């Protein structure tokens, strides 16, 4: 993988030259996710994710190597020069700008956070000071070019991404480089883009400090930096916040309403290779008189299947307050806060927006004449990582698209291994009120089934075709088998679509 870059030099950030030796020092000092948990304990470690540092400061008063590393790179607290010399290749780190001297003390110039890869790899994500998690420090006057570290949105996208080996992957709007870091594990070539040149340099640092292959780094907006290149995988955690203006590069799209997310999705189809996936986090408007599902379906490019999952909805006041707090506008001058709040509400009112949805959008370039576009609301808990479940969803769409009712009844099915059956009814009753099939993994769906559905699911072990199972059930319950065959395929199709049943051998 090449290290070709169209980025400009960025002042004030470290050079990656000494990254290998710094990485060795971090590993030797147990500055890893496991090492932090062991030293800090679960409460202090969890507090860091809430940007609360006092518990960790109390836990690192011992002065040993790991204490010094945590204070330097996580807590942004200066440490004595002798402590830094014991923990780091200090001369190189000073020369390359990872740390700077301040009299007899040393302080870090960037935030470095240990991050565990999917197979237990010890990775390190670099970000601007005070920006490892959550908002960018909560200052209303903060630098608009600030680069955040790993937050909930980043890990969500990493978890839902399909991780099959590919020749080429694009991380659009790379930020601190976490998606590029994941992609480098299963893509031969990784390209990372960002409008912010600081983000591209920090991505280079993240990859170098994590001992990951380099990426091709390109500066620019949306797909502009990649010209006409196409990819097998595109991922993006874009600046999706719907806001009046574009004050903060890391979060505000700079286009009206949800136009940035719409443009990103609509343009992705032409940048995907056949069979490729594009996966995004997005916000979208709920507009008066327009179902949100129809709004999102209109974004899907021709020749692509899509799975759109709305995870959360906030009314416009909740949404404005969330992001005003993110930027620290709730602190300081109350009059300025009121004016900015009014600006957000004026913007939403002008666009007829009553709420904002947040969720995931996955495209798969199928080239199908009848694309599958599923838009659903699913606010319930799921089990990450979901990449395998996402791929299976599209495999099932392919199967259902090519099998009519007669073909379904002739095929053999298996109950998915993570599915259990629950019977619901009053204690002592001979027959349950209803039966629920429940997935214990992945999306963790649940669905009610009738007696026929429960019996059918229970008999799906791959040995008999669906039609034969229905004939046996019809005989047991005294129903006409022809009528039962006629009314069952729709329910069977839904059980396959939602992953409760798997065609035997179809996806193996």
């Amino acid at each position: 993988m090449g290290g070709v870059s169209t980025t400009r030099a960025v002042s004030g950030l470290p050079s990656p030259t000494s990254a290998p030796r710094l990485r060795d020092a971090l590993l030797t000092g147990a500055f890893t996710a496991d090492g932090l948990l062991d030293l800090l304990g679960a409460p202090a470690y969890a507090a860091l994710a809430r940007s609360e540092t006092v518990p960790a400061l109390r836990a690192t008063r011992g002065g040993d190597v790991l204490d010094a590393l945590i204070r330097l790179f996580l807590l942004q607290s200066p440490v004595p020069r002798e402590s830094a010399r014991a923990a780091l290749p200090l001369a190189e780190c000073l020369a390359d700008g990872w740390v700077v001297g301040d009299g007899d003390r040393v302080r870090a110039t960037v935030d470095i956070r240990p991050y565990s890869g999917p197979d237990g790899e010890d990775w390190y994500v670099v970000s601007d000071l005070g920006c490892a998690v959550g908002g960018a420090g909560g200052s209303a006057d903060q630098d608009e070019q600030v680069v955040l570290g790993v937050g909930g949105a980043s890990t969500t996208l990493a978890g839902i991404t399909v991780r099959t080996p590919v020749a080429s992957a694009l991380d659009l709007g790379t930020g601190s480089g976490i998606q590029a870091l994941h992609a480098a594990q299963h893509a031969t070539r990784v390209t990372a883009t960002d409008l912010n040149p600081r983000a591209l340099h920090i991505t280079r640092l993240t990859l170098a400090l994590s001992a990951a292959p380099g990426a091709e780094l390109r500066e620019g907006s949306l797909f502009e930096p990649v010209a006409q290149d196409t990819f097998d995988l595109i991922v993006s955690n874009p600046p999706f916040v719907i806001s009046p203006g574009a004050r903060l590069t890391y979060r505000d799209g700079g286009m009206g309403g949800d136009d940035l997310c719409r443009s990103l999705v609509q343009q992705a189809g032409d940048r995907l290779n056949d069979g490729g996936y594009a996966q995004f986090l997005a916000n979208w408007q709920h507009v008066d008189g327009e179902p949100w599902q129809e709004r999102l379906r209109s974004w899907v490019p021709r020749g692509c299947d899509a799975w759109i999952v709305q995870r959360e909805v906030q009314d416009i006041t909740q949404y404005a307050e969330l992001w005003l707090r993110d930027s620290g506008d709730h602190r300081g001058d109350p009059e300025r806060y009121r004016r900015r709040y009014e600006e957000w509400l004026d913007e939403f009112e002008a666009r007829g927006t009553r709420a904002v949805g947040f969720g995931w959008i996955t495209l798969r370039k199928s080239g199908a004449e009848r694309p599958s576009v599923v838009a659903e609301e699913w606010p319930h808990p799921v089990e990450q990582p979901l990449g395998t479940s996402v791929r299976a969803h599209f495999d099932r769409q392919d199967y259902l698209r090519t099998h009519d009712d007669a073909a379904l009844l002739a095929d053999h099915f298996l109950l998915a291994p993570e599915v259990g059956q629950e019977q619901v009814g009053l204690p002592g009753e001979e027959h349950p009120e209803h039966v629920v099939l429940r997935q214990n993994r992945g999306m963790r769906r649940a669905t009610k089934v009738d007696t026929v559905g429960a019996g059918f699911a229970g008999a799906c072990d791959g040995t008999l075709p669906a039609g034969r199972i229905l004939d046996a059930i019809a005989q047991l319950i005294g129903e006409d088998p022809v009528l039962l065959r006629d009314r069952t395929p729709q329910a069977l199709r839904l059980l396959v679509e939602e992953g409760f049943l798997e065609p035997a051998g179809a996806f193996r």
Side-chain angles (χ1 to χ4, degrees):
M1 220 178 291
V4 178
S5 172
T6 60
T7 63
R8 304 189 303 270
V10 179
S11 62
L13 289 174
S15 162
T17 303
S18 59
R21 287 208 57 201
L22 175 55
R23 173 179 171 80
D24 289 343
L26 299 179
L27 292 173
T28 299
F31 187 69
T32 62
D34 289 341
L36 262 61
L37 183 59
D38 289 343
L39 176 66
L40 300 180
Y45 191 67
L48 281 177
R50 303 190 299 270
S51 298
E52 296 289 348
T53 60
V54 172
L57 283 168
R58 289 175 61 85
T60 55
R61 291 179 292 191
D64 66 12
V65 166
L66 183 52
D67 294 329
L69 292 172
I70 292 173
R71 288 191 165 221
L72 264 177
F73 294 118
L74 281 187
L75 307 180
Q76 285 84 62
S77 178
V79 303
R81 189 176 287 264
E82 289 306 311
S83 296
R85 184 173 289 111
L88 301 169
L90 185 57
E92 291 181 57
C93 288
L94 285 167
D96 281 349
W98 293 96
V99 298
V100 294
D102 185 8
D104 62 351
R105 303 179 76 78
V106 170
R107 58 181 175 83
T109 61
V110 289
D111 189 300
I112 300 174
R113 180 165 296 264
Y115 180 86
S116 289
D119 296 317
E121 302 95 338
D122 287 313
W123 290 343
Y124 296 97
V125 179
V126 180
S127 64
D128 277 315
L129 293 174
C131 300
V133 175
S139 168
D141 300 314
Q142 62 198 323
D143 183 354
E144 66 172 17
Q145 300 293 310
V146 73
V147 178
L148 300 189
V150 178
S154 302
T155 56
T156 294
L157 179 59
I160 67 172
T161 300
V162 176
R163 296 295 176 196
T164 52
V166 294
S168 58
L170 170 65
D171 176 12
L172 191 152
T174 187
S176 60
I178 185 61
Q179 309 306 329
L181 180 56
H182 277 279
Q185 312 309 305
H186 64 101
T188 303
R189 175 175 60 89
V190 176
T191 302
T193 71
D194 206 288
L195 184 63
N196 182 0
R198 287 182 61 81
L200 294 171
H201 191 87
I202 284 178
T203 291
R204 181 183 287 113
L205 299 177
T206 291
L207 295 172
L209 204 54
S210 299
E216 184 176 359
L217 306 176
R218 299 187 185 183
E219 182 181 337
S221 178
L222 298 180
F223 289 103
E224 176 188 72
V226 296
Q228 300 303 312
D229 293 351
T230 58
F231 302 89
D232 301 312
L233 174 67
I234 299 171
V235 292
S236 183
N237 176 18
F240 52 64
V241 176
I242 300 170
S243 61
R247 290 172 54 208
L248 302 173
T249 302
Y250 74 88
R251 70 165 209 194
D252 297 327
M255 297 185 184
D258 51 18
D259 282 355
L260 182 136
C261 291
R262 176 185 55 79
S263 297
L264 186 61
V265 173
Q266 288 180 335
Q267 295 174 25
D270 291 336
R271 305 310 180 105
L272 280 176
N273 295 324
D274 291 343
Y277 289 87
Q279 299 187 260
F280 313 105
L281 301 186
N283 278 186
W284 46 80
Q285 297 165 224
H286 284 224
V287 178
D288 288 331
E290 180 183 19
W292 73 266
Q293 296 93 333
E294 293 305 312
R295 183 180 188 83
L296 272 292
R297 287 190 182 103
S298 73
W299 294 6
V300 177
R302 181 174 299 179
C304 289
D305 296 333
W307 186 18
I308 301 161
V309 181
Q310 180 167 274
R311 295 288 289 158
E312 184 179 358
V313 180
Q314 291 186 328
D315 67 49
I316 56 174
T317 60
Q318 291 174 308
Y319 190 80
E321 290 162 14
L322 169 67
W323 295 110
L324 286 167
R325 285 185 170 86
D326 171 80
S327 57
D329 285 298
H330 62 303
R331 299 182 182 137
D333 183 1
E335 181 59 25
R336 180 171 65 172
Y337 175 74
R338 187 194 67 78
R339 288 196 308 269
R340 287 190 169 163
Y341 201 148
E342 290 274 10
E343 290 172 1
W344 284 71
L345 297 185
D346 287 345
E347 176 80 4
F348 288 133
E349 182 177 338
R351 295 182 176 278
T353 303
R354 55 182 173 78
V356 177
F358 170 84
W360 322 322
I361 299 175
T362 299
L363 307 177
R364 197 274 304 266
K365 191 162 187 178
S366 65
E369 293 184 9
R370 295 180 295 112
S372 164
V373 179
V374 176
E376 62 174 322
E377 187 160 12
W378 191 257
H380 312 294
V382 299
E383 183 183 57
Q384 288 276 32
L386 276 170
T388 300
S389 297
V390 171
R391 184 183 181 189
H393 168 89
F394 289 97
D395 287 342
R396 293 193 296 268
Q397 300 307 316
D398 284 343
Y399 173 84
L400 292 170
R401 189 160 39 214
T402 56
H403 286 69
D404 61 15
D405 289 353
L408 283 180
L409 293 176
D411 211 344
H412 299 239
F413 294 90
L414 295 167
L415 188 66
E418 73 277 6
V419 173
Q421 178 176 299
E422 302 173 2
Q423 295 187 355
V424 181
L426 295 174
E429 290 287 330
E430 183 177 355
H431 301 290
E433 293 179 13
H434 58 264
V435 175
V436 174
L437 300 180
R438 186 179 302 278
Q439 298 169 351
N440 296 308
R441 306 290 298 275
M443 293 293 285
R444 292 182 171 171
R445 298 184 188 275
T447 187
K448 289 183 182 179
V449 292
D450 59 15
T451 302
V452 172
F456 182 85
C460 283
D461 60 4
T463 57
L464 293 175
R468 289 276 303 278
I469 294 174
L470 290 175
D471 292 343
I473 292 174
Q475 186 174 7
L476 286 173
I477 64 176
E479 186 169 336
D480 185 333
V482 175
L483 294 177
L484 188 58
R485 279 176 174 252
D486 285 345
R487 68 179 177 86
T488 299
Q490 183 176 355
L492 172 56
R493 193 170 291 274
L494 183 61
L495 289 174
V496 173
E497 180 177 346
E498 295 191 340
F500 292 96
L501 295 177
E502 299 177 350
F507 310 145
R508 287 160 169 67

